[in-house]
Amino acid sequence: LTVNDREAKYVIDAVAPDAEYTYDGTAKTAEGVSFQNLTFDGQTYTVEGLSSTRTETNAGDYATSITGTAVVTDAAGEDVTGQFTVNTTDTGLLKINKRQVTVTAASDEKDYDGTALTNDGWTVSEPTEGSEGVPPTGLVGSDSIASVTVTGSQLYPGSSANVPSSAVFGSGDPDNYEVKYVSGKLTVND
């Protein structure tokens, strides 16, 4: 018995992996290959020999690609690769989002005395673990913010913003973070 290959080959599309995380200082991986369709004319086939793995630590978008040589087998385990075209051109995405950290300028208050009220103090939010639909926040491990510019002055009775900006990291990669600034309030009483 001679079995001839089909002239028009079945097409199987291999799909590269996608994964999304928030930066936490540890390696993150997108891996595995899936397939859009493995059933043709009522027969289900298996594809082996392909893989895709991408591991990164820092925030960013990283392409995942498929490597290897596809081997297609039928339900009986027979190699029927010649009957198929396996498309491996798909690229996936390993996305590591920046971690949000909040810097808050100090608030202060005093009675009017003819001198301007200023306060260059600031705090960094404590880390949170996050929960379903809410990403973790705060600095990771030994990462630190060494300095923040705080601009604000209130001379006469009333209130004004004490505005933080320009955080400088003492350790860690600032590209792994999205710094959110929250102003404080300076108040001079009558």
Side-chain angles (χ1 to χ4, degrees), residues 19-64:
E20 185 171 1
Y21 302 94
T22 296
Y23 171 76
D24 68 2
T26 64
K28 301 297 179 194
T29 301
E31 64 184 330
V33 177
S34 59
F35 302 95
Q36 289 186 338
N37 185 14
L38 291 173
T39 303
F40 300 90
D41 295 333
Q43 301 293 316
T44 300
Y45 299 88
T46 302
V47 180
E48 295 178 340
L50 300 178
S51 64
S52 180
T53 300
R54 180 78 187 247
T55 301
E56 300 290 341
T57 300
N58 291 320
D61 292 345
Y62 306 96
T64 61

Side-chain angles (χ1 to χ4, degrees), residues 55-146:
T55 301
E56 300 290 341
T57 300
N58 291 320
D61 292 345
Y62 306 96
T64 61
S65 58
I66 300 168
T67 59
T69 302
V71 176
V72 182
T73 54
D74 62 16
E78 296 294 322
D79 184 342
V80 292
T81 306
Q83 304 292 319
F84 291 85
T85 297
V86 181
N87 178 0
T88 60
T89 60
D90 184 55
T91 55
L93 178 67
L94 169 59
K95 182 177 185 71
I96 302 175
N97 296 310
K98 292 183 176 194
R99 189 177 183 105
Q100 188 177 81
V101 60
T102 302
V103 173
T104 303
S107 291
D108 210 345
E109 181 177 350
K110 74 172 188 173
D111 291 332
Y112 177 74
D113 64 5
T115 63
L117 171 63
T118 61
N119 188 328
D120 62 0
W122 51 273
T123 58
V124 176
S125 59
E126 290 295 318
T128 65
E129 293 299 318
S131 60
E132 185 67 32
V134 178
T137 63
L139 295 170
V140 172
S142 63
D143 291 357
S144 66
I145 294 177

